[in-house]
Amino acid sequence: MALIIEELNRAHRVQMRYCMDGEKFTLGRAFSNDAILEDIHADGRHAEIRHEEDGSYVLHDLNSVNGSQLLGNLQDKSVKPGEISSHQITSGDIVQCGKSRLRLFYSDDAVPAATPLHSLESLFSGLSRPLNAILLVLAVACSTVLLSYLNYARSYEWTLAINILASATIGLVIYAGAWAFIGRVVKHETHFFAHLSIAAIGALSYTVWEWFSGVLNYNFAIGDMMEALDFLVLAIILPAMLWCACYLATNLGRGWRWAVSMVLPIGFLGLSLVESLSKLNDFSEAPEISTELKYDNMLLRRPVPMQDFIAGSTALFDIAIEKEESEPRNMDSSTAEDTSSNAEVGQ
């Protein structure tokens, strides 16, 4: 039975793995050690592990400046951390020499079952290709410029198109770069082009929805209800994008990944939705209708001739007012006498 020594980085990921099958294994910064630690806080000969006659492994600190510490055990949570000068190693121990963390296992320990690949791995692999990401970004930029051109009433200027292209491209690159940086720090994996492709798909989906919502509002004058529909669309796009980003860039478990991707975007969107819905019943002197210019072939409803609209317009503004019948007043005798006397005086 050999001893496996794993050197961990700050993200607790294995950056070097050693197998000790002899009688002694040394650790330190000196090049003569079996494990050379790139750590200025470790001594030249910091510690050594010895294989005892009874088959156990014992770690001895070699009077180092910063000492050796037992940080815990992955398999036995009852193990308390503390300073060690001589420690009999148990499989799963985590020790620190200087600032270098080492994880120790026996070679005959059972390894966990393999984690199945997610069904979206093949999709993420395709999105990671630079060409696919660049094509998606170009599709977003072109569709955004086209949508602004169709909704622009005045003469279209090329400077406006350049500003839209630059804004869309820079925004997507910043989003992908931020998540790539997080992935580099947390998982040591960037996936920049995958993040860029996912952001482009989300932006392209919302651009298509903007065009469709314009046609919808042009035909049916939905008004304030468009904000509720926007909420439903964004409540699908944003959680999907955030879930993919968390999957690629973080080590969150499935439950936490779903919680973060659903709670954060829907929570922020819900605040604006509540404010919009609270204004639906407010009276407005001028009804909110779509003022966008559209081609007549985008009209889905059958137009009403002007004369027919004028003829039926009175029914739109006639409001039936229900009159309450007043109850007869019962006057007592004194009131009646006062009335009759007042009438006589008047005569």
Side-chain angles (χ1 to χ4, degrees), residues 180-298:
F181 176 77
I182 294 173
R184 182 64 179 176
V185 173
V186 177
K187 297 182 67 175
H188 295 269
E189 300 173 356
T190 55
H191 298 292
F192 172 78
F193 288 107
H195 290 296
L196 186 61
S197 297
I198 293 168
I201 292 174
L204 188 61
S205 301
Y206 189 73
T207 302
V208 173
W209 160 248
E210 278 190 314
W211 174 83
F212 179 74
S213 63
V215 175
L216 199 65
N217 197 26
Y218 172 68
N219 284 273
F220 302 101
I222 297 176
D224 289 335
M225 286 302 297
M226 287 304 303
E227 296 192 19
L229 294 177
D230 279 339
F231 169 81
L232 295 177
V233 173
L234 290 174
I236 296 174
I237 296 176
L238 293 182
M241 291 175 58
L242 189 55
W243 185 94
C244 294
C246 290
Y247 178 83
L248 292 172
T250 68
N251 293 318
L252 293 176
R254 181 170 59 181
W256 279 105
R257 191 162 57 242
W258 277 108
V260 170
S261 60
M262 296 297 291
V263 172
L264 289 181
I266 294 180
F268 284 110
L269 292 173
L271 295 177
S272 60
L273 178 65
V274 170
E275 183 180 358
S276 300
L277 293 179
S278 63
K279 298 179 181 178
L280 287 180
N281 295 327
D282 293 346
F283 176 77
S284 176
E285 296 180 355
E288 294 188 7
I289 60 174
S290 174
T291 57
E292 293 183 359
L293 299 177
K294 303 287 185 183
Y295 293 103
D296 55 358
N297 57 6
M298 300 178 69

